[in-house]
């Protein structure tokens, strides 16, 4: 929490401001240019009603938002024309952010940070603007170091393995119930 004291002659007023939960660092010319604190939700877009107004023609009027919760920070694209990219991966669903994830709205790059960024820090990794096509994030489940993105072939195999797992579970459950019934039948002297 930050405390401000404003003095005006004989009058003094105290203002309190919550410490930001996270930051969006604007990257310009491979350097952190500005740090934007996030207290709860920030809206990003070209429209002047957004918390962060971006003058980039590839950014939609109401492009996306970033929301900080107690245990997670989520970026959500609002159906923008040019999409939102996290670490050069196109997102369609709300996506959990991790410290130093690169978020691209149009041609504008931000870095999500859980601590106050160092202004003018050089950003060497320019992978957020790769020319090769990006995969789409279809699964928001992330590990600490990577994003799990399922290709159509992998999705098919996952469905097959899921079905086999369900069938195995049903078979084991039926055998267990049958064993219980037979055990009860023998214990009661029915056989």
């Amino acid at each position: 929490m930050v405390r401000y004291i404003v003095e005006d002659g004989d009058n003094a007023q105290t203002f309190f401001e919550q410490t930001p939960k996270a930051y969006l660092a604007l990257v310009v010319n491979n350097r952190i240019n500005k740090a934007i604190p996030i207290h709860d939700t920030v809206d990003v877009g070209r429209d002047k009603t957004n918390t962060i107004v971006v003058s980039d023609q590839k950014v939609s009027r109401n492009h996306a938002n970033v929301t900080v919760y107690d245990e997670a920070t989520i970026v959500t694209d609002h159906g923008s024309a040019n999409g939102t990219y996290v670490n050069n991966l196109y997102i369609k669903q709300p996506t959990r952010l991790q410290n130093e994830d690169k978020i691209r709205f149009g041609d504008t790059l931000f870095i999500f940070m859980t601590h106050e960024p160092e202004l003018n820090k050089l950003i060497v990794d320019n992978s957020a603007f790769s020319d090769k096509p990006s995969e789409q994030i279809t699964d928001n489940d992330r590990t600490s170091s990577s994003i799990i993105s399922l290709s159509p072939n992998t999705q098919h195999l996952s469905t097959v393995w899921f079905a086999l797992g369900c069938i195995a579970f049903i078979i084991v459950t039926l055998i267990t119930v049958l064993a219980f019934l037979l055990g009860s039948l023998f214990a009661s002297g029915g056989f």
Side-chain angles (χ1 to χ4, degrees):
M1 181 170 299
V2 179
R3 179 180 173 196
Y4 295 101
I5 300 175
V6 179
E7 293 185 30
D8 180 24
D10 294 335
N11 297 329
Q13 293 180 334
T14 302
F15 297 94
F16 292 95
E17 182 179 293
Q18 292 289 344
T19 304
K21 297 177 182 175
Y23 294 85
L24 282 180
L26 174 63
V27 177
V28 177
N29 295 326
N30 290 335
R31 292 193 180 275
I32 295 178
N33 180 273
K34 178 174 249 168
I36 302 158
I38 307 172
H39 294 283
D40 46 24
T41 298
V42 294
D43 297 311
V44 180
R46 284 192 343 258
D47 193 86
K48 303 246 184 274
T49 60
N50 289 297
T51 314
I52 301 173
V53 179
V54 180
S55 59
D56 175 347
Q57 290 303 309
K58 291 186 179 178
V59 173
S60 297
R61 283 194 278 295
N62 296 303
H63 196 98
N65 71 15
V66 178
T67 303
V68 178
Y69 298 98
D70 288 335
E71 297 297 320
T73 301
I74 307 293
V75 62
T76 306
D77 185 89
H78 293 296
S80 63
N82 292 306
T84 299
Y85 293 80
V86 175
N87 297 326
N88 205 33
L89 296 172
Y90 177 72
I91 65 167
K92 275 193 164 184
Q93 301 172 356
T95 301
R96 185 179 196 152
L97 295 173
Q98 295 176 355
N99 190 40
E100 298 191 6
D101 274 350
K102 292 169 183 60
I103 311 166
R104 185 165 48 94
F105 309 107
D107 286 334
T108 305
L109 178 64
F110 291 90
I111 299 176
F112 170 76
M113 295 188 159
T114 56
H115 59 280
E116 188 168 3
E118 179 185 330
L119 294 180
N120 292 318
K121 180 180 178 185
L122 181 64
I123 305 300
V124 178
D125 181 15
N126 214 8
S127 64
F129 289 102
S130 173
D131 291 335
K132 58 184 177 180
S134 301
E135 295 180 41
Q136 175 181 330
I137 297 177
T138 56
D139 188 335
N140 284 335
D141 210 3
R142 294 171 58 136
T143 63
S144 62
S145 63
S146 65
I147 297 172
I148 299 171
S149 180
L150 300 176
S151 68
N153 293 339
T154 308
Q155 287 176 347
H156 174 70
L157 289 175
S158 296
T159 305
V160 169
W161 282 110
F162 178 75
L164 287 173
C166 288
I167 292 169
F169 176 76
I170 291 170
I171 290 171
V172 168
T173 303
L174 289 173
I175 290 172
T176 304
V177 169
L178 183 62
F180 176 77
L181 291 174
L182 288 174
S184 297
L185 187 63
F186 283 122
S188 66
F191 254 97

